[in-house]
Amino acid sequence: EEFVMVFVNTTVEQAARRLERVLGSVRHRAFDFGGDSIMVTFSAGVADCREIEAASLTLDRLFELADRRLYDAKQAGRDRIHS
């Protein structure tokens, strides 16, 4: 599944550190689901509106950048943060 987290007044580096804590809390941890034990991976792409030229800044452009970084993280082996 994919979802969005928005951090206000936060740099890319600060957001990545927060997400690393989330990653650390689920990495190598089994979750019970329907009587089965499953492992979860967590990958994230981090983007900052300041990375996009102000004249072309839209939510769609921001989501595209974060999404591209998410897929970079997945292609690099999952369970990682790309910013």
Side-chain angles (χ1 to χ4, degrees):
E1 297 299 321
E2 293 185 18
F3 59 93
V4 173
M5 296 175 82
V6 176
F7 299 110
V8 178
N9 297 323
T10 304
T11 66
V12 168
E13 294 79 15
Q14 291 168 326
R17 281 196 303 270
R18 287 181 180 181
L19 292 169
E20 286 288 347
R21 287 194 300 269
V22 173
L23 174 60
S25 71
V26 298
R27 181 179 272 156
H28 307 299
R29 180 175 173 211
F31 291 87
D32 291 326
F33 183 76
D36 292 323
S37 181
I38 61 170
M39 300 299 290
V40 174
T41 61
F42 177 89
S43 300
V46 181
D48 186 332
C49 60
R50 292 170 285 203
E51 296 179 273
I52 300 171
E53 184 179 322
S56 63
L57 176 62
T58 64
L59 276 178
D60 286 340
R61 296 272 323 255
L62 187 59
F63 286 148
E64 285 173 12
L65 179 57
D67 198 48
R68 186 169 58 245
R69 290 178 179 169
L70 167 63
Y71 282 95
D72 289 345
K74 288 181 176 185
Q75 287 181 339
R78 299 180 184 249
D79 248 7
R80 61 192 69 231
I81 311 300
H82 272 221
S83 53

